[in-house]
Amino acid sequence: MKELLRGHAELVEVAGRLVPRRLPSGALHPRLDEAARMPAGVRLEFDTDARGFGWDVEITGPGDVDVVIDGTLVRRAPTVHVDGLPAGRKRVRVWLPQSSQVSLGALDVRGDVAPAPEGPRWIAYGSSITQCRLAAGPSETWPALVATALGWSLRCLGFAGECHLDPIVARYIRDTEADVISLCVGVNIHGAASFSARTLGPALEGFVRTIREGHPDTPILLTTPLHAPEREQQPNALGLTLADVRAEVAAAAPDLPVVDGTSILGPADAGLLDDGLHPGAEGYRLIADRLRPHLAALLPDPEGLHP
């Protein structure tokens, strides 16, 4: 099972079961550590001729596992048990829940199993809007939708409430193989007032410089915060509105392509926000549709297979 699991940083054994983590265990802030134990983007990928399979997955809290066969969602449930699959070889992708912690037991596949080929490796860093708690399911977060459409291998570093340019995250990205990297930065910084007008620019520049130590030529896309009606002109504890944060983020990395977040989800799309900040399922699908061309342009597909 271990060789079929993708999108995680490490597997920790606890009471004979495996717990996937999206950042290695270590000196993480407790809140970041908790988010890192939620397996957003982590999935099992394999080719098989099996007519059915099961996987012992225990979920802490609400959450579903999505089973996708040859690109079609066939099961969304807290348990993994699939029967009655057609004969012949199939590509299987099993997405773990994006906002609940899990522990993993045995995988039972009644047939031949081989690891699926892996596409270009993509690291997506961001906040809860990248972790996507309110997506319809783990295969329908916007990073999962983009990765599926482009044939990329996703490593999701969306941490709800915890996108604060932590140096340990920058070092992890620096040391992790990637063909393309995206950074969606600013909404948590505004909400928690973690940086001021004086410190935000240098902090983001330092974060990117650390990543560049390991990825001198890897394409990096920077996205500023999406529209949030109540925060646009509301000063935080350090006097920055979300519009101010958006401007500071855009100016901090002049060597990177920058996408204005309001072009991805803007004032006209406010009805897709569930709580004035977080999109619902339809909003995440729209984000995927609008961000996909920007990401695809970073890593052209020579065979034209993924528009």
Side-chain angles (χ1 to χ4, degrees):
M1 183 265 290
K2 293 181 181 179
E3 67 274 14
L4 306 177
L5 197 66
R6 292 174 177 168
H8 62 294
E10 70 176 11
L11 290 169
V12 178
E13 185 170 345
V14 179
R17 301 178 64 84
L18 295 176
V19 176
R21 296 183 52 90
R22 291 183 293 138
L23 289 173
S25 50
L28 302 180
H29 188 281
R31 292 201 302 267
L32 178 58
D33 184 75
E34 181 178 7
R37 288 184 277 121
M38 297 177 181
V42 180
R43 70 259 172 223
L44 205 64
E45 294 185 342
F46 58 94
D47 290 340
T48 185
D49 60 2
R51 305 294 296 271
F53 62 89
W55 191 19
D56 178 10
V57 177
E58 290 187 359
I59 303 174
T60 301
D64 286 327
V65 179
D66 280 2
V67 179
V68 179
I69 309 292
D70 288 336
T72 299
L73 178 67
V74 301
R75 180 178 173 87
R76 173 172 290 157
T79 60
V80 183
H81 183 81
V82 180
D83 282 315
L85 296 176
R89 300 293 294 184
K90 295 164 284 290
R91 176 69 48 82
V92 176
R93 186 173 286 156
V94 184
W95 296 86
L96 294 174
Q98 69 271 34
S99 293
S100 298
Q101 296 171 16
V102 304
S103 67
L104 308 175
L107 173 68
D108 176 23
V109 182
R110 297 177 289 281
D112 178 67
V113 174
E118 189 169 15
R121 296 154 298 189
W122 169 34
I123 295 176
Y125 173 63
S127 65
S128 57
I129 298 173
T130 299
Q131 188 172 338
C132 307
R133 178 178 62 86
L134 297 177
S139 66
E140 295 187 71
T141 68
W142 76 256
L145 290 170
V146 169
T148 298
L150 297 180
W152 290 1
S153 181
L154 171 65
R155 189 177 296 268
C156 179
L157 299 183
F159 301 119
E162 298 305 318
C163 182
H164 297 290
L165 305 177
D166 292 76
I168 196 167
V169 177
R171 293 193 296 271
Y172 174 71
I173 299 173
R174 176 195 66 191
D175 298 337
T176 301
E177 293 185 24
D179 298 294
V180 63
I181 298 167
S182 63
L183 312 172
C184 187
V185 174
V187 69
N188 290 160
I189 289 168
H190 173 263
S194 44
F195 295 103
S196 68
R198 165 65 181 82
T199 59
L200 174 54
L204 179 55
E205 180 186 11
F207 190 88
V208 172
R209 283 183 178 272
T210 297
I211 292 172
R212 280 287 184 224
E213 291 172 3
H215 298 283
D217 302 312
T218 302
I220 301 175
L221 181 71
L222 177 64
T223 302
T224 67
L226 280 57
H227 179 69
E230 297 176 3
R231 298 189 179 204
E232 292 296 328
Q233 301 303 325
Q234 179 63 47
N236 66 8
L238 294 176
L240 291 177
T241 66
L242 188 61
D244 294 332
V245 170
R246 191 176 292 117
E248 292 290 339
V249 168
D255 296 332
L256 299 183
V258 177
V259 175
D260 178 358
T262 63
S263 71
I264 303 302
L265 203 73
D269 309 307
L272 300 178
L273 298 174
D274 184 76
D275 57 4
L277 175 64
H278 298 93
E282 185 179 349
Y284 283 122
R285 295 187 191 100
L286 181 62
I287 292 171
D289 288 343
R290 290 179 174 171
L291 264 178
R292 186 178 67 246
H294 294 282
L295 287 157
L298 300 179
L299 202 63
D301 177 9
E303 299 181 4
L305 298 178
H306 305 288

